[in-house]
């Protein structure tokens, strides 16, 4: 029986890797499975955490320049509410149950909105505002790149775009919530 955040979970499958592949820098210490698949940690703990988890990702610079770490919460401790929260419906796909999907309605730069394909902008939904830390990254001394790239098949709302947001998933209500947060202090 394993214990995570003082919750005992019987018969959990949990593994550790020492040589993880992928596009992760040397500062990465591992991968945790938060997807919708059967063996993901959130599905194994679903009864105990009531389908709720949240995390707050620190900027990459903070992980090398300080002792700040990213945090994850499960269950009732994972609820994201309050002023400034943007909540968006989560869409699950039977063909790709590991992934969580959001509907992109458009991108606004300044006061110009570019709708995505044929979607209609729903003015009743609060917009998710990304800051320069979410949309640009320094790849070398004096070289900064825009981190939003066009993609034909599938678009990924990656970890760079998620930095400094407290992001809460409620798999029962099928919603994901974003709260701008200084994750180094969360």
């Amino acid at each position: 029986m394993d214990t995570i955040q003082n919750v005992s979970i019987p018969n959990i499958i949990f593994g550790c890797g020492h040589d993880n592949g992928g596009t992760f820098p040397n500062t990465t210490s591992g991968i945790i499975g938060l997807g919708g698949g059967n063996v993901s940690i959130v599905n194994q703990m679903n009864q105990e955490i009531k389908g709720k988890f949240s995390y707050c990702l620190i900027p990459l610079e903070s992980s090398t320049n300080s002792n700040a770490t990213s945090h994850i919460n499960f269950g009732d401790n994972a609820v994201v509410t309050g002023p400034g929260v943007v909540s968006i419906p989560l869409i699950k796909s039977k063909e790709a149950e590991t992934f969580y999907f959001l509907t992109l309605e458009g991108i606004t730069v300044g006061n110009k909105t570019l709708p995505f394909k044929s979607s209609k902008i729903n003015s009743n939904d609060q917009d998710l505002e990304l800051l320069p830390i979410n949309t640009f990254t320094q790849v070398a001394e004096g070289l900064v790149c825009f981190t939003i790239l066009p993609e034909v098949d599938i678009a990924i709302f990656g970890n760079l775009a998620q930095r400094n947001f407290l992001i809460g998933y409620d798999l029962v209500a099928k919603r994901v919530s974003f709260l701008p947060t200084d994750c180094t202090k969360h």
Side-chain angles (χ1 to χ4, degrees):
M1 184 168 309
D2 287 310
T3 303
I4 297 177
Q5 281 188 338
N6 298 324
V7 175
S8 295
I9 301 139
N11 303 319
I12 192 168
I13 300 168
F14 192 80
C16 295
H18 298 284
D19 187 15
N20 299 307
T23 58
F24 306 103
N26 292 336
T27 57
T28 302
S29 58
I31 300 169
I32 185 167
L34 300 174
N38 290 334
V39 295
S40 78
I41 193 87
V42 293
N43 270 337
Q44 290 186 67
M45 299 188 320
N46 193 39
Q47 297 268 165
E48 293 79 11
I49 67 172
K50 304 171 198 156
K52 295 178 181 69
F53 65 95
S54 67
Y55 53 80
C56 205
L57 301 178
I58 61 171
L60 295 176
E61 317 72 69
S62 298
S63 64
T64 55
N65 297 334
S66 73
N67 291 327
T69 57
S70 298
H71 290 89
I72 188 165
N73 293 298
F74 297 101
D76 293 333
N77 293 333
V79 176
V80 177
T81 59
V85 169
V86 175
S87 186
I88 302 169
L90 265 179
I91 301 164
K92 289 284 287 172
S93 167
K94 296 226 186 275
E95 295 82 38
E97 64 182 20
T98 296
F99 302 113
Y100 303 109
F101 294 92
L102 305 174
T103 300
L104 176 63
E105 294 180 348
I107 296 174
T108 301
V109 179
N111 60 2
K112 181 163 178 70
T113 299
L114 309 166
F116 181 71
K117 294 192 177 178
S118 61
S119 68
K120 296 188 180 187
I121 304 298
N122 184 350
S123 60
N124 295 331
D125 291 337
Q126 287 179 291
D127 288 341
L128 182 62
E129 183 177 344
L130 300 180
L131 298 174
I133 192 172
N134 305 108
T135 52
F136 294 93
T137 191
Q138 182 171 330
V139 294
E141 183 72 32
L143 180 60
V144 176
C145 291
F146 189 52
T147 61
I148 298 176
L149 302 171
E151 181 56 50
V152 176
D153 296 325
I154 188 168
I156 298 172
F157 191 72
N159 66 334
L160 296 179
Q162 296 179 48
R163 295 185 289 187
N164 274 346
F165 280 100
L166 178 57
I167 302 175
Y169 291 76
D170 186 332
L171 304 180
V172 175
K174 297 183 175 134
R175 297 198 69 78
V176 61
S177 300
F178 298 84
L179 179 63
T181 305
D182 181 351
C183 291
T184 63
K185 296 178 181 164
H186 177 73

